[in-house]
Structure formats: C-alpha cells, structure tokens
Amino acid sequence: MSVLADVRVVVMDLDDTLISAYRHPDLVWRMVCQRFQSELGVLEPDEAARALTRAGQAFWGDPKRHALGRLDPPQARRIIVGDAFEALQGSGRRPPSRVVAERMADAFSLQRHRDMRLEPGADAVLVHLRKAGYRLALLTNGTGPLQRAKIERFDLTSRFHHIQIEGEVGVGKPDSAAFSQVFEALNIIDPAAVCMVGDSLEWDIRPARALGCRTVLYDPDATPGDDGDLGEADIVARTLESLVIHLPGPQRLQPEAI
C-alpha cells in the first residue's frame, strides 16, 4: 500500500513549488552584474555576483531578517546588495555608488518578476488532484497583496478549496499555528489524512511531519539515488507530474475519519 494511500487533503506550497519564483539566485545576480559591468568599476562581474550570492544566503538564513524580508522582497534585495558591497569594501575592494547598488537590486527584482512562471506540470497536477477527489489547500508565506498577485497572475484561485496567506492571517510556516488554521478551515481531524507538498525541508516538510502529516518534498534539482537528508520526507518528487502516481485518488473513507 502506498504511504499516501490514506491521504484525502493535499496542502500545496506556492513559491518554487507551484511557481518558479526564487530558485538559483546566483544565476540572476550574475546576469544583473553583467548588465552593470560598466558601472562596477574595478569589480569583475563574477566577483560581484559571488559576493551578492553570499550576502543573499546570509540574509535569508537569518530567521529575523527572513521574516521581515519576505514581507518586502524588493527592499530585502536592496539590503542584500548593500551588505555585499560593504563586505567587498571591507576586503579592500571599491564598490559602486549607492545609487548603482539600488538600481542593481531593483533590476534583480524586475528580472525575478519577468522570469516567474508556473512549474512544469503544475496546472495539470492541480486539475488531476481536484478530479481525483482530494481537498486542496494553498499555504504560503508573504504579504497578501504580493502573494494574491501571483495567484491571480497564474489563475490559481479556482484550483483550491482554501487559500491561506501569511500576511492575511497573521501567521506563517513553519509555525504549527499556520497548519492548524488550514486544518480548521477544511474540518480536518486527523493530520495523517493530510499531505504537505513543498520545496523546503525547514518550512514545509519538518513542521508538517511534526504534526503527523504525510509529506512530499518537491526538488527538481535532486540527484536520483542521492537523497541524503531529503529522506526526511515520505516522498521526494523531482517532477510535479509524478504526484499523479503517488496521489491517484483518496480511498473511500467515512467523512468522520478525516
């Protein structure tokens, strides 16, 4: 029997699960630095891109800065650029002006917006899950206006029975209260009947498992046969299309069993 056989509710993450939003920031920084090469002075674009990538990793790795930054990503990127160039200056390099730094941060934000798209197979798998009889919830962090704009841009509203955004309810992942609100909205009694699908061990998989949910880690970059810590999830999906195999349809359980 499949480990997901008793699942009747599927909770989906949004960013970098259903839509490609923030994956591979190093490649975007490199692109931006190439555009601004003439304004970087003595800095080589690759050197600047590496510094920006490190600064971004440090920023988003800090829980407090992460909590504030996800509420205003464009401003967070301005801070990241400032941190990167301050570090370069501390090592004896001469960074560009603050005006150039802010333009670079805004160029990064604009490129992210332009590149945003549905992940391959996202729409098809949502249609399948609905037709198969699962109850669907979207659980995402971020501000209401920012996340609603993405949801509307990709016409996702009608795909879900419940949509929950951190900025609209006052709590987000990985806080267990965020998951509890989803359970309440869908009248879920048994968390084991719920499957959380997301791209983050920290934000999606671990908190859901702690509550007793089943989990699917979406990781298109994972190397087959080398899952490592990815084994914390019940299943690692390298394509969204593979969810059709793992979630073919809920068993016919009595409503009170949920």
Side-chain angles (χ1 to χ4, degrees):
M1 180 183 293
S2 168
V3 70
L4 305 182
D6 293 336
V7 168
R8 298 198 59 193
V9 176
V10 180
V11 181
M12 304 286 296
D13 172 52
L14 181 64
D15 294 318
D16 289 332
T17 299
L18 288 177
I19 62 173
S20 177
Y22 304 121
R23 199 176 288 120
H24 302 308
D26 56 320
L27 300 182
V28 183
W29 282 125
R30 188 177 304 167
M31 184 185 304
V32 169
C33 289
Q34 289 289 347
R35 289 183 196 160
F36 282 79
Q37 182 171 6
S38 63
E39 296 168 273
L40 288 175
V42 297
L43 282 177
E44 292 293 331
D46 283 351
E47 180 183 14
R50 287 193 296 270
L52 289 161
T53 300
R54 288 193 298 269
Q57 292 169 341
F59 182 95
W60 296 113
D62 182 315
K64 290 183 178 179
R65 298 184 96 185
H66 194 297
L68 294 174
R70 66 178 180 258
L71 300 180
D72 189 353
Q75 180 58 27
R77 290 159 189 153
R78 286 189 171 201
I79 294 172
I80 288 168
V81 174
D83 289 348
F85 288 166
E86 183 177 346
L88 285 171
Q89 188 170 26
S91 64
R93 311 298 285 165
R94 184 177 179 180
S97 69
R98 179 177 177 178
V99 171
V100 171
E102 291 182 350
R103 286 175 54 214
M104 291 179 68
D106 294 345
F108 182 98
S109 294
L110 180 59
Q111 190 64 46
R112 277 303 200 195
H113 179 76
R114 287 174 173 169
D115 290 345
M116 200 173 292
R117 56 179 172 77
L118 278 176
E119 284 285 300
D123 193 62
V125 79
L126 290 175
V127 170
H128 158 76
L129 292 172
R130 286 280 299 232
K131 288 184 176 179
Y134 294 102
R135 298 277 286 172
L136 296 183
L138 181 65
L139 178 59
T140 180
N141 287 349
T143 66
L146 177 66
Q147 299 304 84
R148 285 285 172 188
K150 296 175 188 175
I151 292 167
E152 292 173 7
R153 176 178 174 181
F154 296 105
D155 196 25
L156 295 174
T157 303
S158 64
R159 302 299 190 196
F160 294 92
H161 299 94
H162 175 67
I163 293 176
Q164 185 170 306
I165 301 172
E166 176 187 21
E168 295 180 349
V169 300
V171 65
K173 301 175 293 184
D175 194 320
S176 62
F179 294 86
S180 296
Q181 288 194 21
V182 173
F183 297 167
E184 182 177 356
L186 294 179
N187 297 314
I188 298 166
I189 297 173
D190 182 9
V194 178
C195 178
M196 177 71 209
V197 181
D199 69 297
S200 171
L201 287 171
E202 178 181 0
W203 299 90
D204 303 312
I205 304 306
R206 290 170 185 155
R209 283 180 64 86
L211 293 171
C213 301
R214 296 301 187 182
T215 57
V216 174
L217 179 71
Y218 174 57
D219 187 358
D221 296 328
T223 302
D226 186 26
D227 291 344
D229 289 340
L230 305 186
E232 292 184 48
D234 290 301
I235 291 171
V236 178
R238 294 176 176 83
T239 67
L240 290 179
E241 290 95 331
S242 66
L243 293 181
V244 173
I245 299 173
H246 299 300
L247 292 165
Q251 290 185 333
R252 294 185 177 277
L253 303 175
Q254 296 298 319
E256 57 268 22
I258 298 181

